[in-house]
């Protein structure tokens, strides 16, 4: 996903002399091309995220568009006040690109996990938030975000995530229905959409008709889609690789609870306000946090039976 | 070249007007940071009325203009008054300051008045912004200069040192950092900056970060203007030694005037001293 995001930036920057790419000391496979073709507009700012965000804002105040890029916790929480004041309060054309959403850096521990940043960034006025699910969607949404402009945050996986089995063209701000089904809807985003699709398969084998929606745009969220489904389904479920506090589940609940069309059953699957005590692969950690396909399918069955 | 004596007199008179306006609007608004604004008043007067900054009050967004980033955003009353007197907007506009429903905050906010270039108020944000502006100006081939005005307490923020490192590394010769060095930060502690978290030797540290450094009397227009006009192939830092509360005898060098607002009696005395 990193490659696709960077390719989108590179292509735009060839045509647009005001696009800058500031990298917080993180490789991306196209370093030589950026050096050659972006010149001064490509900077490795080193390990200084507060400065990188401030410099990005200063460039944007001078009419530039900037993508600031590093590993999620470093380029978001480390410099959250700079994102709040310098970018969002001044409403500037800066796109924060975070690599390694959720447990993508599974063996690295809590320093490298990102299961909190969406809650904080979602609370910032003017901020748009996008979490693509696979490489083609990363390329497409990155292009759309560059077109729309910042303030924006794009959260991607770490490396060579597989393409989803279903490919639907993504439109910023609109949920993509990846699988049809009339009984329940699972709303998901990011690379864990693949688990939502597998959970749907498991539940389908048990006779349940499961719709899976990819809510790649967390903010502004597709209210129309949610309100439409709420009255039509036996249950609405959300699945995210993030804390259950403040992310997709919260955003969906905010929309549904504020409507007359509340679903009969609702549950938000995410990390339940803890850091795993053990480390391991992304798949292992999803299982530990009860957000793997098997765990989610089991929980949904129990909730619907209750 | 030293400024002509008449020019110095003119600047002194302007700075006094600015100080009086600062005290007036802060008193009326029951606001704070009067000491911080008075500390920086001569620096800001030098930048605008001293002819250092190339800005056009009738075209505040003119491409290629010089820019002031007020990193010590709490001293905004000094910038409000200066921009008003300089013709960016009618000075009467400042009567709104402190009233409910206006946009004139007690920290600088981007574009709420013509001539305000950034939003600042939390320490340590201004220098990175200034570095970004300086980079942009260089890439565009503009010869505009970026001035960042910082407090000395603010120099304790880590983000300032990240930006110092960055600007030195990228040789941002169009960037000038002015440090309003009054040695007072937290008003109520009674402690000076070097007793709280000592940043000295500041000049040596800045030089080690590949900046050119000059120390001046921050209330001497000759020294200030000459230092502000100097150029180099490196980013420049001007340590402006100042007195917090400068111009009002009972506020001078007194930390509590960071956060206090004068009462009616103090206001009368202050205005008299500034008349």
């Amino acid at each position: 996903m990193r490659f696709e995001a960077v390719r989108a930036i590179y292509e735009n920057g060839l045509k647009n002399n005001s696009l800058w790419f500031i990298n917080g000391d993180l490789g991306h496979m196209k370093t030589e091309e950026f050096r050659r073709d972006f010149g001064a507009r490509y900077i490795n700012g080193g390990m200084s995220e507060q400065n990188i965000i401030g410099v990005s804002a200063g460039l944007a105040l001078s009419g530039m568009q900037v993508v600031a890029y590093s590993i999620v916790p470093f380029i978001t929480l480390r410099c959250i006040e700079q994102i709040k004041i310098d970018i969002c309060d001044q409403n500037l054309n800066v796109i924060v690109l975070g690599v390694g959403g959720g447990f993508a850096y599974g063996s690295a521990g809590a320093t490298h996990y990102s299961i909190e940043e969406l809650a904080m960034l979602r609370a910032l006025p003017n901020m748009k938030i996008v979490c693509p699910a696979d490489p083609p969607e990363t390329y497409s949404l990155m292009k759309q975000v560059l077109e729309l402009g910042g303030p924006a945050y794009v959260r991607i996986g770490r490396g060579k995530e597989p393409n989803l089995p279903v490919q639907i063209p993504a439109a910023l701000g609109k949920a993509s229905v990846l699988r049809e089904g009339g009984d329940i809807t699972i709303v998901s985003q990011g690379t864990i959409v693949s688990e939502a699709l597998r959970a749907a398969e498991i539940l389908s084998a048990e006779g349940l008709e499961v719709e899976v929606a990819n809510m790649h745009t967390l903010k502004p969220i597709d209210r129309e889609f949610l309100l439409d489904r709420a009255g039509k389904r036996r249950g609405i479920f959300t699945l995210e690789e993030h804390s259950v506090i403040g992310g997709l589940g919260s955003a969906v609940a905010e929309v549904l609870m504020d409507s007359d069309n509340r679903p009969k059953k609702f549950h938000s699957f995410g990390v339940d306000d803890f850091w795993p005590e053990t480390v391991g692969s992304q798949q292992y950690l999803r299982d530990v946090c009860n957000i793997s396909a098997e765990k989610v399918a089991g929980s949904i069955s129990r909730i619907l039976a209750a | 070249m030293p400024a002509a004596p008449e020019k110095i007199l003119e600047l002194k008179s302007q700075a006094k007007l600015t100080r009086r306006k600062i005290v007036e609007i802060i008193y009326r608004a029951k606001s704070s940071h009067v000491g911080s604004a008075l500390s920086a008043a001569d620096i800001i007067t030098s930048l605008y009325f001293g002819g250092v900054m190339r800005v056009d009050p009738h075209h505040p967004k003119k491409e290629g203009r010089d820019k002031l980033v007020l990193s010590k955003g709490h001293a905004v009353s000094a910038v409000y008054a200066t921009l008003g007197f300089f013709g960016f907007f009618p000075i009467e506009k400042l009567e709104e300051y402190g009233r409910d429903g206006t946009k004139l905050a007690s920290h600088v906010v981007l574009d709420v008045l013509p001539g305000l270039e950034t939003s600042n108020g939390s320490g340590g944000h201004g220098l990175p912004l200034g570095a970004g502006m300086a980079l942009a100006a260089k890439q565009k081939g503009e010869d505009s200069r970026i001035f960042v005005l910082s407090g000395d307490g603010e120099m304790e923020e880590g983000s300032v040192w990240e930006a110092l490192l960055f600007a030195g590394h990228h040789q941002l010769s169009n960037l000038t950092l002015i440090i309003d060095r009054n040695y007072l930060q937290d008003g109520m502690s009674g402690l000076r900056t070097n007793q709280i978290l000592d940043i000295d030797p500041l000049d040596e540290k800045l030089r080690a970060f590949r900046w050119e450094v000059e120390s001046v009397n921050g209330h001497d227009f000759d020294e200030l203007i000459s230092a502000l006009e100097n150029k180099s192939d490196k980013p420049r830092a001007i340590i402006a030694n100042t007195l917090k509360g400068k111009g009002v005898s009972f506020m001078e060098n007194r930390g509590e005037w960071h956060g206090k607002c004068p009462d009616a009696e103090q206001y009368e005395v202050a205005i008299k001293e500034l008349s």
Side-chain angles (χ1 to χ4, degrees), chain A:
Chain A
M1 289 170 83
R2 186 189 304 211
F3 181 76
E4 286 73 18
V6 168
R7 184 161 61 90
I9 298 161
Y10 176 74
E11 288 173 3
N12 273 36
L14 290 182
K15 295 177 293 185
N16 173 3
N17 196 35
S18 64
L19 175 60
W20 292 60
F21 185 41
I22 305 190
N23 160 12
D25 201 30
L26 186 62
H28 52 73
M29 295 87 85
K30 278 185 92 71
T31 307
E32 286 313 312
E33 288 98 318
F34 273 97
R35 278 210 188 106
R36 184 187 65 216
D37 298 325
F38 272 51
R41 294 182 291 123
Y42 173 68
I43 294 174
N44 184 339
M47 296 169 67
S48 65
E49 295 80 9
Q50 295 179 78
N51 182 60
I52 284 172
I53 297 297
V55 165
S56 300
L59 286 164
L61 281 164
S62 309
M64 307 297 178
Q65 179 174 50
V66 188
V67 179
Y69 162 86
S70 190
I71 297 176
V72 174
F74 313 147
I75 201 68
T76 60
L77 301 193
R78 179 64 173 250
C79 45
I80 190 79
E81 195 189 58
Q82 277 77 11
I83 294 176
K84 171 191 161 190
I85 300 297
D86 301 354
I87 299 178
C88 290
D89 183 40
Q90 298 189 109
N91 201 12
L92 296 178
N93 196 352
V94 178
I95 297 157
V96 176
L97 173 61
V99 170
F103 295 122
Y105 288 93
S107 62
T111 55
H112 284 59
Y113 298 160
S114 62
I115 55 170
E116 321 84 359
E117 97 283 8
L118 294 174
M120 301 190 197
L121 295 172
R122 204 164 69 83
L124 298 178
N126 297 327
M127 186 57 120
K128 298 169 277 287
I129 302 177
V130 178
C131 308
D134 73 352
E137 191 171 85
T138 300
Y139 176 78
S140 164
L141 288 172
M142 194 70 213
K143 283 273 188 184
Q144 292 177 52
V145 170
L146 286 164
E147 186 64 32
L148 183 67
Y153 169 57
V154 180
R155 178 206 231 216
I156 61 174
R158 180 183 176 184
K160 293 177 179 157
E161 285 79 5
N163 292 357
L164 290 178
V166 195
Q167 292 291 313
I168 305 280
L172 210 55
K174 289 282 168 204
S176 303
V177 175
L178 301 180
R179 190 182 195 285
E180 310 262 349
D183 289 330
I184 65 164
T185 298
I186 304 177
V187 181
S188 189
Q189 63 171 30
T191 59
I192 204 168
V193 165
S194 60
E195 300 288 323
L197 285 169
R198 284 209 300 120
E201 291 297 327
I202 297 168
L203 291 165
S204 167
E206 295 169 12
L208 205 63
E209 291 186 5
V210 183
E211 178 185 48
V212 175
N214 175 7
M215 192 66 81
H216 45 71
T217 308
L218 176 61
K219 189 184 175 188
I221 201 162
D222 187 351
R223 295 175 60 86
E224 201 181 334
F225 172 85
L226 294 171
L227 293 173
D228 176 72
R229 295 307 192 272
K232 294 179 180 168
R233 302 283 184 260
R234 286 172 58 198
I236 303 279
F237 300 90
T238 61
L239 174 60
E240 63 194 307
E241 200 159 329
H242 184 270
S243 169
V244 289
I245 300 171
L248 176 68
S250 300
V252 170
E254 285 158 16
V255 172
L256 297 181
M257 286 302 287
D258 199 28
S259 80
D260 296 327
N261 238 0
R262 291 176 201 159
K264 292 178 201 71
K265 302 275 186 182
F266 172 85
H267 188 80
S268 157
F269 294 100
V271 184
D272 198 7
D273 198 20
F274 72 100
W275 281 292
E277 290 180 5
T278 52
V279 297
S281 67
Q282 189 166 23
Q283 195 58 48
Y284 166 80
L285 289 165
R286 285 174 178 175
D287 193 59
V288 163
C289 294
N290 301 316
I291 53 174
S292 61
E294 293 74 16
K295 295 274 178 73
V296 168
S299 299
I300 289 177
S301 291
R302 280 194 297 280
I303 291 168
L304 290 175

Side-chain angles (χ1 to χ4, degrees), chain B residues 14-33:
Chain B
Q14 179 55 51
K16 195 179 247 188
L17 272 178
T18 297
R19 286 196 163 89
R20 195 156 70 219
K21 185 56 71 181
I22 291 167
V23 173
E24 271 174 30
I25 65 174
I26 285 182
Y27 171 70
R28 203 170 45 229
K30 299 281 171 256
S31 184
S32 56
H33 300 121

Side-chain angles (χ1 to χ4, degrees), chain B residues 16-251:
Chain B
K16 195 179 247 188
L17 272 178
T18 297
R19 286 196 163 89
R20 195 156 70 219
K21 185 56 71 181
I22 291 167
V23 173
E24 271 174 30
I25 65 174
I26 285 182
Y27 171 70
R28 203 170 45 229
K30 299 281 171 256
S31 184
S32 56
H33 300 121
V34 63
S36 316
L38 295 175
S39 178
D42 295 323
I43 298 166
I44 298 166
T45 301
S46 301
L47 285 168
Y48 288 89
F49 287 93
V52 174
M53 281 176 63
R54 292 171 317 157
V55 288
D56 180 350
H58 304 295
H59 301 93
K61 293 282 186 189
K62 196 172 173 181
E63 284 290 312
R65 69 192 180 277
D66 293 346
K67 293 177 181 173
L68 171 64
V69 177
L70 184 68
S71 195
K72 53 174 292 181
H74 57 285
V76 72
S77 57
V79 173
Y80 285 159
T82 305
L83 294 179
F85 286 125
F86 202 70
F88 278 89
F89 48 83
I91 195 76
E92 295 75 31
K93 179 80 181 163
L94 298 185
E95 285 169 22
E96 290 179 13
Y97 179 67
R99 283 197 204 148
D100 285 352
T102 82
K103 292 188 171 183
L104 304 190
S106 61
H107 289 89
V108 66
V109 178
L110 173 66
D111 285 341
V112 297
L113 284 174
L116 299 179
E117 300 280 5
T118 62
S119 295
N120 283 99
S122 174
H125 285 238
L127 193 58
L129 291 176
M133 290 173 170
L135 267 179
K138 281 195 174 237
Q139 192 239 356
K140 288 196 246 181
E142 296 171 352
D143 63 351
S144 73
R145 299 181 67 197
I146 313 299
F147 296 90
V148 177
L149 177 55
S150 164
D152 53 354
E154 189 182 348
M155 297 298 290
E156 295 158 6
E157 293 282 2
S159 53
V160 173
W161 295 92
E162 289 184 5
L164 286 167
L165 197 58
F166 182 88
H169 177 87
H170 289 277
Q171 294 179 297
L172 298 179
S173 54
N174 51 349
L175 179 65
T176 300
L177 170 66
I178 310 156
I179 300 152
D180 182 357
R181 185 96 224 246
N182 57 36
Y183 287 88
L184 290 167
Q185 49 185 128
D186 166 35
M188 304 317 286
S189 71
L191 297 174
R192 295 177 71 76
T193 50
N194 50 359
Q195 295 169 297
I196 293 168
L197 190 56
D198 196 358
I199 53 172
D200 276 327
L202 184 57
D203 52 350
E204 287 177 28
K205 284 177 180 147
L206 294 168
R207 283 190 191 101
F209 278 64
R210 301 188 202 165
W211 284 61
E212 188 173 280
V213 185
E214 198 170 338
S215 290
V216 299
N217 176 343
H219 302 302
D220 182 311
F221 289 109
D222 238 348
E223 286 191 26
L224 274 171
I225 292 169
S226 151
L228 290 165
E229 284 183 338
N230 277 342
K231 290 180 183 167
S232 155
D233 55 358
K234 294 177 181 177
R236 279 179 49 80
I238 298 170
I239 301 173
N241 292 294
T242 54
L243 282 180
K244 195 162 198 141
K246 171 75 176 176
V248 177
S249 57
F250 61 89
M251 294 185 187

